[in-house]
Structure formats: C-alpha cells, structure tokens
Amino acid sequence: MKIIVAGAGEIGQHLALKLANEEQQDITLMDSDARLLEKISAGQDMLTYSGNPTDAHDLKECGIEDTDLFISVMNEEHANILACMLANDFGVRETMARVSNPGYLGQEYARFFHESGVKSLIYPEELAAEEINTIMLNPWARKYIELVNGMIALVGVKVRFGCEIVGKRLSELTMPEEKMFHVVAVKRDSETIIPKGETRIEHGDIVFFTALANDIDAVRQLCGKQNVTVKKVLIMGASDIALRAIDKASRGIHFVVIEEEKERIEKIRNWLPQNVTLFHGDGRNTALLAEVGIASAQVFVALTENSETNILACLAAKRFGIFKTIAQEENVDYIPLAEKLDIGTIINRKVITSGHIYRILLGQDTNTVKSLTIANADVAEVVARRGAPIVGKRVSELHLPEGVTLGGMVRNGVPRMIDGDTVIEPYDLVVVFCYNVPMARIRKLFEA
C-alpha cells in the first residue's frame, strides 16, 4: 500500500515513523520544511517530499496519482480538508483529515465531507478525551481498553509488595477451572516482556491482563487495588481535551478546572456545564490545590501543552494523597520519566491517533487497534478467515512470532479466554497483543 502523510509535525512524524516499520507499506512524508524532513527520515525506510500538500502540482510530483491512502495531519484544519479534497480528485481511495473543530464530527457533516472527498476525520483531542473518561471509570488501572464491544478488556495494573501475585511465577497463579484472565505482557522498567509460565511477577511491574468484562473485578482484587468511585476531578489546563472529557463524563462528577490564562477563562466560562467550577491559577501551586479542595478529589488530570509542567503538577497532587493522576505527555522522551516518578496514566495524542489510523490500514477484518503508550505495543481485534494459517490448530502448536500472544476471542457472539488447547475456528474474532511485530505480519496469520 502506498501512503502519503502530509504534515511533519509531532503527529505526522510519529505516524510516518510507525508506518515505516510496517511490512509492504510504501510511506512518503510530505511537508514544506525540507530540513525537518531530512532530520526525520535519517536512517528510516521512507521517502520524503518537500512541498505544499494543498498545491496540486506538488501533490502530483509527490506521486499522489498512485497513492492508496492520504493522511493530512497539518496544524491547519482547513489545509487538511483542502489537501484531502485534492487527493480525492487525483483518485486516492481513502483520505483522512485532522480537524480541530469537534462540530465537524457530527452526523450532519458526515455526508458533506464524504462527498467532498474527505472519507475520514481525525480529531486527536476527542480520542484523548475518550481515553481519559475510560480511566476515570476505572481509576485503579494504569491502562483500560474495552475490546470487542466491551465483552473483553485489556487492563494494565502496577503491582506492589503485598499483592497476591508479586513474587509468583505465572504458572503458580491459582485460577478456577474456567480461565478468567490472561497475562499478555509485563512492563518492567524500560523493558516489555511477553511472559511465559516461568515468568515471575516483581514489585513495580506493570502487568497487562486480558479478561472477560464480568471478571475484571477479580483482576482488580488479584492486584490488590481499591475500588474507588470518582465523584470529584481536578483538571489543570482548560484545553480542548479537558472540555471534551468533561462533556463526555457523567454529570454526577464535580469538575474543578484550574487555568492560568485569563483570556482562556473568559472564552470558555459560558460554555461549561453546572457541574464545573473554574479557577484562575497554577495547578502546581500546592496552596491553590488545597484551596480548591484537592483533599476531597479522587482524580487529578494535567492537560497543559507543557510536558514538564504536567509531571510536576501530578507530583504536587500526589503529595495530597490523590488516588489517581493522569498526565498529558506529548514528548515521548518524557514518558519513561513519568513512569519512574509513578505518574498514573499517560495520555499521548500521537500514540492514540496512530492507533486510530491503523484501522484503515488493516482493513475491515480488524475492528480495533490501540497503541499502548506504556508498553510500546499494539492490541488488535482480527477475524480468522477459513483456510488461514492460524485456523484449525491448537494455540500451543502455532509457533506464533516472538512478541505475539493471543489474549481472548469471541465465537458466535460469546467471549472466552484462550489457552494452549484452544483451537481457532473460521470467523472467530481474536484479540491479539503484539510487541515489536508489524501488524501486517499479524494480518497474514488470519488471511487465507
């Protein structure tokens, strides 16, 4: 597949580099900044083109007429829309445009954009807000992803001394006759481990489980985590992500938003629902945190555009014993630091957006692909086709690629866990967890 990514900003860079690691993908990164392109592409398996994505001549020179997928993620919304319209006019089948207006996601615009040549819209702030809300519903988890329409969940949990599973090998974990969960990965410091039976869980590990929705609470108890109902949330930074998260959340949650810029406060003041209280100030200020009632809050979310500020704010909040902290970290280099400082959940728009776009790449047989910020990994739902290499054999006999494990499945509408004796049948929907393995290679296992 030939893909052009227009816009070498942070999201464009991350996406192009991730796609360049995929097999059978011909990637071109297009931007008007030639020096930036040279820096990004050094040592990478992708092409670059210095030109304007909204210029028909430049698009043609870039090879738009032979392109299968055009993704425009420039900073300017209208430039992305125009670039996709031009790409469609050149015959590109699939186009995706990054937008900054959430109103464009409404059903009333869908037909207009589709007929104009913009087949899909990407609003990273919306995706980030959805992830924040999922975590607020499950604050005991570092990562919580609903799969196969909520029937199976993938949960990342940091385990500590005193937890039932710490110090045990996976083979030593007791379980009812019917398998309740599967450990798909363990993040230990900077290392991601695809575990085996002899893998021992250690203090400080982030353990990733897949489990049926009805068994998630058993995973929580196994990890020694408290079940907390979120009634009050403090948010530092009245960003678009913050507003979208509030809009999606239950009106039963009281939000306290701290914003440093008075101009932003005046702009959004009249847009906020009644369950939101707005304060002017710096969310790193412990005196202000005490004043706004952090002691009675369960969650603190730092959503400024500055990664260092978000980390420091979460550290300040943790001094008050806050149950859960969430930090927006757009600089990938800061994510390991945030983990070492025990910052709860990391939100990264680049990673979230690239996972969203993977759905287009993997085709209709893949319903969901999520990139995991903490483990540098992907989890996907893939349908097994009749005659595919993965069909008709016991899982223990499949010789899956190193870094791949099967976390669960749905057969005839019924979710179930997978073990070594499971035999994948045609049309099973399988949850696949993979680390450092191209998703295109996973797809080959499921295709006839």
Side-chain angles (χ1 to χ4, degrees), residues 84-389:
C84 284
M85 293 170 70
L86 288 171
N88 177 258
D89 202 47
F90 276 111
V92 179
R93 297 197 315 268
E94 293 289 344
T95 60
M96 305 184 74
R98 176 188 178 183
V99 296
S100 54
N101 182 350
Y104 287 161
L105 302 178
Q107 203 57 36
E108 61 271 24
Y109 287 98
R111 182 178 176 182
F112 167 77
F113 280 118
H114 196 273
E115 291 179 350
S116 300
V118 185
K119 301 303 172 64
S120 301
L121 297 177
I122 313 163
Y123 182 39
E125 290 75 11
E126 183 84 1
L127 302 175
E130 290 173 357
E131 187 150 330
I132 289 170
N133 270 278
T134 300
I135 290 298
M136 286 196 299
L137 291 172
N138 306 277
W140 55 273
R142 289 293 177 100
K143 197 80 175 179
Y144 192 103
I145 295 175
E146 292 185 343
L147 300 165
V148 288
N149 296 320
M151 289 187 282
I152 296 176
L154 185 143
V155 188
V157 187
K158 187 161 188 175
V159 296
R160 308 177 192 276
F161 287 129
C163 166
E164 181 180 341
I165 64 175
V166 170
K168 290 185 178 180
R169 293 183 175 91
L170 293 187
S171 59
E172 297 173 339
L173 299 182
T174 57
M175 200 178 299
E177 184 175 337
E178 187 170 338
K179 187 175 182 180
M180 295 177 63
F181 62 82
H182 180 57
V183 177
V184 295
V186 175
K187 181 71 184 296
R188 182 171 298 157
D189 296 326
S190 59
E191 181 185 9
T192 297
I193 302 167
I194 302 299
K196 298 179 181 179
E198 63 268 23
T199 302
R200 190 184 300 273
I201 303 300
E202 297 181 2
H203 167 78
D205 285 349
I206 299 176
V207 184
F208 289 88
F209 300 83
T210 50
L212 305 187
N214 292 337
D215 294 328
I216 287 298
D217 200 56
V219 171
R220 178 188 63 77
Q221 294 179 49
L222 182 71
C223 295
K225 296 298 180 180
Q226 183 182 358
N227 190 16
V228 171
T229 300
V230 176
K231 297 180 179 179
K232 182 176 179 179
V233 176
L234 265 63
I235 298 180
M236 184 181 77
S239 65
D240 289 342
I241 295 177
L243 299 185
R244 296 304 297 165
I246 290 169
D247 185 62
K248 290 176 173 296
S250 165
R251 289 294 182 261
I253 297 176
H254 176 210
F255 286 92
V256 174
V257 179
I258 303 172
E259 172 57 47
E260 202 165 11
E261 295 183 7
K262 289 185 177 181
E263 185 177 339
R264 178 64 173 172
I265 290 175
E266 292 304 317
K267 182 177 180 180
I268 68 170
R269 186 185 299 277
N270 296 326
W271 299 355
L272 298 174
Q274 292 187 351
N275 62 321
V276 179
T277 305
L278 194 57
F279 282 88
H280 173 248
D282 186 342
R284 294 169 294 181
N285 186 321
T286 54
L288 176 61
L289 291 177
E291 180 185 338
V292 301
I294 192 171
S296 60
Q298 293 78 42
V299 179
F300 180 87
V301 191
L303 295 175
T304 76
E305 293 299 319
N306 187 291
S307 295
E308 299 96 320
T309 297
N310 292 336
I311 290 176
L312 291 173
C314 285
L315 290 175
K318 288 174 70 67
R319 291 177 60 186
F320 287 90
I322 198 86
F323 183 80
K324 180 72 176 183
T325 56
I326 302 172
Q328 177 184 340
E329 293 300 327
E330 293 308 313
N331 187 338
V332 177
D333 294 336
Y334 279 102
I335 292 176
L337 173 61
E339 292 175 8
K340 288 181 180 179
L341 294 173
D342 211 18
I343 303 301
T345 295
I346 310 300
I347 300 295
N348 184 290
R349 284 176 296 185
K350 297 188 287 275
V351 174
I352 295 170
T353 303
S354 65
H356 180 74
I357 290 172
Y358 262 34
R359 295 181 64 179
I360 299 294
L361 288 178
L362 294 179
Q364 295 180 349
D365 285 347
T366 304
N367 298 328
T368 303
V369 180
K370 298 280 189 180
S371 293
L372 303 185
T373 309
I374 297 176
N376 301 319
D378 297 299
V379 58
E381 306 168 13
V382 192
V383 175
R385 290 300 177 188
R386 187 176 299 278

Side-chain angles (χ1 to χ4, degrees), residues 17 26 28 61 68 131 156-157 175 178 302 337 414 432:
L17 292 172
D26 179 4
T28 300
E61 288 292 311
D68 302 296
E131 187 150 330
V157 187
M175 200 178 299
E178 187 170 338
L337 173 61
V414 179
V432 184

